[in-house]
Amino acid sequence: MQHTFIPTQYFRTIGTHPAALTVNDGDEVAMWCVDAHGIDGNDQTVTPAGNPMSGPIAVNGLVAGDVLAVTITNMHPLRPHGWSYPTLAGNVVDPEYIGAVPYAPGSKLPKEYWDLDTTTGTVQSRGTHGMRVTAPYRPMVGCFGVAPARGEAVSTATSGPHGGNMDVRFFGVGCTVYFPVSVAGGLFFAGDAHFVQGCGEIGGTGVESAMRIDVRLAKAQMERITWPRAEDDDYLYTVGNARPLDQALQHATSEMHRMLIACGADGTSAAVIMSQLIEYHIGNVFDPAYTVVAKIAKSVLRTHGLQSTFR
Amino acid sequence: MQHTFIPTQYFRTIGTHPAALTVNDGDEVAMWCVDAHGIDGNDQTVTPAGNPMSGPIAVNGLVAGDVLAVTITNMHPLRPHGWSYPTLAGNVVDPEYIGAVPYAPGSKLPKEYWDLDTTTGTVQSRGTHGMRVTAPYRPMVGCFGVAPARGEAVSTATSGPHGGNMDVRFFGVGCTVYFPVSVAGGLFFAGDAHFVQGCGEIGGTGVESAMRIDVRLAKAQMERITWPRAEDDDYLYTVGNARPLDQALQHATSEMHRMLIACGADGTSAAVIMSQLIEYHIGNVFDPAYTVVAKIAKSVLRTHGLQSTFR
Amino acid sequence: MQHTFIPTQYFRTIGTHPAALTVNDGDEVAMWCVDAHGIDGNDQTVTPAGNPMSGPIAVNGLVAGDVLAVTITNMHPLRPHGWSYPTLAGNVVDPEYIGAVPYAPGSKLPKEYWDLDTTTGTVQSRGTHGMRVTAPYRPMVGCFGVAPARGEAVSTATSGPHGGNMDVRFFGVGCTVYFPVSVAGGLFFAGDAHFVQGCGEIGGTGVESAMRIDVRLAKAQMERITWPRAEDDDYLYTVGNARPLDQALQHATSEMHRMLIACGADGTSAAVIMSQLIEYHIGNVFDPAYTVVAKIAKSVLRTHGLQSTFR
Amino acid sequence: MQHTFIPTQYFRTIGTHPAALTVNDGDEVAMWCVDAHGIDGNDQTVTPAGNPMSGPIAVNGLVAGDVLAVTITNMHPLRPHGWSYPTLAGNVVDPEYIGAVPYAPGSKLPKEYWDLDTTTGTVQSRGTHGMRVTAPYRPMVGCFGVAPARGEAVSTATSGPHGGNMDVRFFGVGCTVYFPVSVAGGLFFAGDAHFVQGCGEIGGTGVESAMRIDVRLAKAQMERITWPRAEDDDYLYTVGNARPLDQALQHATSEMHRMLIACGADGTSAAVIMSQLIEYHIGNVFDPAYTVVAKIAKSVLRTHGLQSTFR
């Protein structure tokens, strides 16, 4: 079944808030989302800044211990432009190099606007701050996830086992992301869409815009997970959210070992495969918790007779 | 000019040791290298384990402040097999997950052998520990660099501004790596070749083998650099070596900003480009210093009218 | 005015929950608190484990931007024994040393019980796990703080700018802790008392017991603060909560510089004083966020003509 | 036997350099040391800056695997003044607070001079940069250690298992520091003395001066150690040198567990004692490797019937 979800209220925490919409297992929802500053498709600020979320959406039948599969089926811009900060964050450069970065960390930052050109599939900065820059249009969801355990309501500035502000470039159209369910119905939130973003979100922003995010929400055929996982046509992914990056990587690596065992490998084989064939990706190094993604090509799993999809 | 360099002595530090060979700017050298355990192409242990280096090779005319360009022109296996450890390192998984990893960290580890199949371009583990695993043959140089400043002699277990044990998968045939020269002649060392390696070298090894590494050594047309840089056909790279990963990333990001300015960008434009178009790669998370690589596609630089090569 | 507060409900998050008690500025409250596992003074489990909090207590007149001064006037044991885990946490030892630690990280841990001897002022372990160990009775509050901003409800397993599970040994009788107020009334929570604790809470516990914690709650005469501060007879303190320790230390150090300026120092003098006279203390290295405390002796401040108390 | 050692050559690496003096087990040496900038007691720059070391001193009979006990018997100022930088290092404050620190990180720093007043036992800054500041005269050795293994020559800017630039305030008169010997004779170096220093050396300096450091060098009655240890009248210490602080703490904590077992505790009892009675101290958070010290009071060990000294 198809649902349309246009929020009347936004949340800056992901927590056990009352469901704004309840759907059945496998339903699709078109979610209207404002940008990270609460600005909508008409350039109106409709809610305070700080990654306001659309949601929560409950899925009938989900209980704690289940896994929610969120497939991003489509993303539509609600306005033809986005914005970014023309700087690098203080924490991504050497302390003694901070003075060389444009716009000092902690100062009021100007916005650089970018225009979407759907004919070329690119976004182009207006050049107000620095030169005109062209980047591919690769829309992605910066912040999404499900209500965490023990009644926490976690700021959408950060991330955790429940997902949240992970800012992973791969989390775009065609990707299925798996979240560990902690409360009945799961309670799914989404927002903070980007037209494009570099690895690490090192300027503190992607190209931020209001978008409609179309998702299919279903109970995954997957045993209890500890950290988010994902898949697209080519890869299986696991996600770790923490600081420092070293710990985020430990989470993602442990979860990958668990996932390969779930795919049919014994523990030693999983280690051998990972040693020579794993790849890592840095989601963000800007938020309070950083994000590291581990990935293994599905072709590797198929070659070795292992399960290669959970879809 | 072409040189053949078959060492009679190996070094487990990169430092200001007497040059074993002196060449001219632009010369090529075929360097015979033992594997990480000092085992040669005939399966003979000829020197103690711990990434023994072939070298040092001095390049006439190089002085401190120059940059040495090392182009890997070819890599030849000196034996048709390699080995790896069938485990995951203790520091790459969650502390409470260490008990689930095969072969406890700190214990004596068995070796899993892998055979090279040049017809298919793959390496295949023998399945002594876990299942038979097939991986692509993608030879790379694990440890190489130049003598560091102030008379240091740095263990080849680790890395620093001078290069060293970086274990970056991209550093294979066709790649040019740039090292900051600290002493007259540069004093170049290389070894620790891998048939293949996953990101992070998370088991503590790639598929380790003795190889002939062919390099062209030349003075780069590049101003003084702080950290190693590199390029291949598609990308420009900068490297940071440190722990935690957060600091390695700070080094690589600062160096990328400096490099883009050297390519003709102003500081603000460099930040805007990096924010939306940078990619990160994790070299290793096993050695005392971890390695993070930042990269920008050359096509991005060309699109924006910037210099895109230093070759 | 004196209040007695015996909770009928406990919270495992610190957030904007309805006030269970409202007091006036300067009032004193005797708070009954269960131990970290929700066990009360009669050895009854009355609420689920995980640092259940007593509270929240609202203070009339407090508004966001104010600072709440919490003076611990007394602590009374509600039972004559406590417990600890007889191990070291996996994250506080080298990964390759984890195998040498008693009771593997991640396994079910036994409890070692300790008896309080008020005549000698000591606690003594029963020797069920290892030898009988004697430690001084130095009661302290492990977890306390105020509702955080933006509607967050933060797990009492961790800490942040709002306080939380900091596990600082100095936070005992006679100490005043200052928390940044984010919501009307402040909403103060406390619990997780320890009879004694080593630095770092490296086994994951102090000697955990149910205690009555007596506090005086007042609006501090202090400008807006970013991180908790504290004082006792001898020292002024600032607190940083984050991972890794490096970041927690950055928070505490920045806050100390701000506090010394509030005490009357110019920025350069504050730096000179801190460089030669600061001391650091590690609160915990067990929780998701670690805690570092910076301290400066009040005598140092007096010597230099600076304000040395906010009481 | 008493030796006087006035260097004619200084080293900025700790490595296997030719012994400048050879002594017998138990001998005492009065070592003349320049300050961190190579400036001597007559305010003459006699060698380049960067923690130049006096040494190396070989001790007859020491072999790899032994432990060298260095007892600091006395420290004499070679001039009545020292200097410090009137700033905070960029890496010890929040990135967004760096702009608030006097003298931007990476800029040329002025020196603040301090005068020693032996009648009051204090040092006093001249107030050229900021106010006049008074601190106690507590001389300590910033950088000392022995030649590391595998032929490394490690910069005196940093530290490791061999010791080096640890900047621990406790390492003053009356303290015995234990170093793991890696080469015949041990090869001991010392320098970088401070009149006083705050925890962490957060401005990048203590009060730096040229000093005569008197040491007794002896083979310790101690089994092979992994990291430096120390003792004074009141405490036993273990040291970890690494980044981030988290890893330095892991080293120091693992070494403390090993040391308590060497003192006669079983592994579980050692964990119980450490959990409730360990204290941590931060040596420096300025150098490439940070330093964390773990300590246990000797009185604790005596109370529990454990060995409490290795002197």
Side-chain angles (χ1 to χ4, degrees), chain B residues 79-121:
Chain B
R79 62 182 195 232
H81 53 266
W83 57 268
S84 73
Y85 288 138
T87 187
L88 298 176
N91 55 304
V92 306
V93 296
D94 293 327
E96 62 272 20
Y97 195 71
I98 284 182
V101 164
Y103 309 105
S107 67
K108 172 82 181 154
L109 296 170
K111 284 182 179 175
E112 172 71 11
Y113 285 88
W114 301 65
D115 296 301
L116 171 60
D117 181 342
T118 50
T119 59
T120 57

Side-chain angles (χ1 to χ4, degrees), chain B residues 12-13 50 150-157 243-244 247, chain D residues 12-13 50 150-157 243-244 247:
Chain B
R12 295 192 303 163
T13 61
R150 85 188 272 165
E152 271 202 296
V154 177
S155 165
T156 51
R243 260 202 207 192
Q247 191 186 14
Chain D
R12 295 192 302 162
T13 61
R150 82 187 277 166
E152 271 202 296
V154 177
S155 165
T156 51
R243 260 203 207 192
Q247 191 184 14

Side-chain angles (χ1 to χ4, degrees), chain A residues 128-198:
Chain A
T128 313
H129 305 280
M131 65 198 304
R132 284 173 181 269
V133 173
T134 299
Y137 174 58
R138 284 195 198 130
M140 51 163 276
V141 182
C143 184
F144 56 153
V146 295
R150 87 188 272 165
E152 272 202 296
V154 178
S155 165
T156 51
T158 193
S159 58
H162 69 290
N165 196 22
M166 302 179 285
D167 294 308
V168 175
R169 292 171 55 197
F170 306 136
F171 292 170
V173 177
C175 188
T176 301
V177 185
Y178 300 98
F179 296 103
V181 171
S182 295
V183 302
L187 298 180
F188 175 71
F189 299 75
D192 186 30
H194 303 158
F195 282 175
V196 65
Q197 182 206 290

Side-chain angles (χ1 to χ4, degrees), chain A residues 26-60:
Chain A
D27 281 3
E28 301 200 355
V29 187
M31 302 175 72
W32 264 252
C33 299
V34 293
D35 74 13
H37 276 193
I39 305 171
D40 69 8
N42 299 315
D43 291 318
Q44 302 301 309
T45 301
V46 296
T47 191
N51 290 342
M53 293 284 103
S54 299
I57 301 174
V59 180
N60 281 320

